[in-house]
Amino acid sequence: MNPLNNVQLSLLDLVAVREGGTVGEALAISLETARHVEALGFTRYWLAEHHNMPGIASSATAVLVGHIAGGTQHIRVGSGGVMLPNHAPLVVAEAFGTLAELYPGRIDLGLGRAPGTDGETMRALRRDRIESEADFPRDVAELQRLLGPRQAEQRLVAVPGTGTNVPIWLLGSSLFSARLAAERGLPYAFASHFAPAMLLDAITLYRRNFRPSAQLDKPYVIIGVPLVAAATDDEAEFLASSVFQRVLGIVTGQRGKLPPPVAGFMANLRPHERAAIADFLGAAVIGGPARIRDGLTALQQATGADEMMFVCDIFDPALRLRSLDIATAVCREA
């Protein structure tokens, strides 16, 4: 039996702006992609908050969640995530409460505790705010109160928001959010699409310490998986060079738009550059159908993930859709 049959499939979209392309085109590609994966049977479509990055157009995450939900029929749509240090919990509750009223039963609220940007932009988002380790757990608890049933003594009420019970997910790349998700009985998504080093430690800690809650009776784990699938291994490696270039730009502080693929890109890098890309993409699955099958199976067997959330950034949008087709076929074959 195919071990991938029972794994839920989803997509995390950074809304990549391509070299030579526009933000408007990137947004249109995202909606087309969401409709495509909905037809493939994907469980959810998440959008990630980033700021001050010329190649990523998902900064107004709640706006995009509404756009995608409005252009699809039944797929769950949410944030992967809203970076909570950038926002007052009441504002988040009102935004996602509104979305939940517009699209009942379809909205997810994934929360991260990183700023998702550089220090200067972070200060511009929430001026003069000094973060402490206690802020994130406290803000998560406030969001749970604001989105849950109104209590008799409750004076601060999110309208819309109260009583919508928008599902809250905690996101992370370390043990901090894994521990908090376990304590609160919340589902957990590990950011292995860019920081895979602590994947196994984090999900082990989460499962071992999980306490059932009103939202969730047993642990639920999503893992982020960078994906580039193609007809052959060689074609996939070529297409993945767009991602390799972007990762190199991230680690060297030279962020830009998603570039077209370049033949032999990795071979022309210095060893430490190749190592940095390999560390960043340690959970990546790149190849033709057989390599995709083997890679996803190995990940699932190592993690026991309930859900795989692909990050699939291919320069040609049509080849991106084909990549998702190939991965879905591999996961759903008998």
Side-chain angles (χ1 to χ4, degrees):
M1 181 178 176
N2 184 353
L4 300 170
N5 277 167
N6 295 323
V7 178
Q8 301 299 305
L9 304 179
S10 295
L11 191 72
L12 173 64
D13 194 356
L14 306 184
V15 193
V17 182
R18 290 154 174 82
E19 288 187 5
T22 66
V23 168
E25 289 167 348
L27 297 173
I29 290 168
S30 288
L31 181 55
E32 179 186 11
T33 305
R35 289 169 172 165
H36 188 83
V37 299
E38 180 176 62
L40 290 175
F42 277 37
T43 299
R44 67 191 89 241
Y45 194 98
W46 280 3
L47 299 130
E49 178 186 345
H50 294 82
H51 299 277
N52 199 28
M53 298 182 186
I56 296 178
S58 54
S59 55
T61 312
V63 176
L64 278 180
V65 169
H67 177 61
I68 297 297
T72 52
Q73 298 299 315
H74 55 79
I75 194 170
R76 297 193 67 90
V77 187
S79 58
V82 162
M83 298 296 104
L84 201 45
N86 300 337
H87 309 281
L90 178 61
V91 174
V92 177
E94 290 171 339
F96 278 79
T98 301
L99 290 166
E101 296 288 1
L102 289 169
Y103 309 104
R106 294 184 57 202
I107 302 301
D108 294 330
L109 175 54
L111 300 172
R113 69 185 187 103
T117 187
D118 57 88
E120 182 178 354
T121 307
M122 180 178 66
R123 289 188 292 274
L125 287 162
R126 295 194 75 179
R127 299 179 188 277
D128 301 323
R129 178 179 169 91
I130 299 174
E131 288 289 311
S132 73
E133 192 173 84
D135 285 339
F136 185 69
R138 184 170 53 245
D139 286 351
V140 170
E142 185 173 352
L143 268 170
Q144 289 179 295
R145 287 192 296 271
L146 290 168
L147 294 170
R150 182 174 181 176
Q151 304 301 309
E153 74 285 358
Q154 184 175 343
R155 298 181 63 187
L156 178 63
V157 180
V159 183
T162 187
T164 56
N165 296 301
V166 177
I168 291 176
W169 295 70
L170 295 192
L171 285 55
S173 58
S174 68
L175 302 184
F176 184 94
S177 291
R179 185 175 291 108
L180 182 61
E183 291 173 357
R184 301 283 174 85
L186 297 173
Y188 180 58
F190 190 86
S192 38
H193 58 289
F194 71 87
M198 301 188 74
L199 170 61
L200 297 181
D201 289 341
I203 60 178
T204 297
L205 183 150
Y206 168 68
R207 290 183 176 126
R208 182 185 300 136
N209 295 282
F210 182 84
R211 300 174 185 172
S213 69
Q215 180 173 333
L216 196 64
D217 62 352
K218 61 182 181 180
Y220 192 96
V221 171
I222 291 178
I223 60 171
V225 182
L227 172 79
V228 180
T232 67
D233 293 347
D234 287 344
E235 184 191 8
E237 290 288 346
F238 170 68
L239 295 176
S241 65
S242 293
V243 180
F244 299 156
Q245 292 175 75
R246 184 165 70 177
V247 170
L248 183 61
I250 291 172
V251 299
T252 59
Q254 299 176 346
R255 298 175 184 269
K257 296 183 177 181
L258 184 69
V262 174
F265 177 75
M266 291 290 277
N268 293 320
L269 297 182
R270 291 171 290 184
H272 73 277
E273 293 173 327
R274 287 196 294 271
I277 293 171
D279 287 344
F280 193 105
L281 297 174
V285 180
I286 299 168
R291 189 183 285 180
I292 296 297
R293 182 185 304 108
D294 291 345
L296 294 179
T297 299
L299 269 177
Q300 202 284 325
Q301 290 175 338
T303 65
D306 300 288
E307 188 169 330
M308 291 185 180
M309 183 164 278
F310 298 137
V311 179
C312 186
D313 286 325
I314 294 175
F315 186 78
D316 185 326
L319 297 183
R320 184 193 197 200
L321 300 184
R322 186 192 63 169
S323 180
L324 296 165
D325 289 343
I326 292 169
T328 304
V330 163
C331 292
R332 299 299 176 241
E333 63 190 3

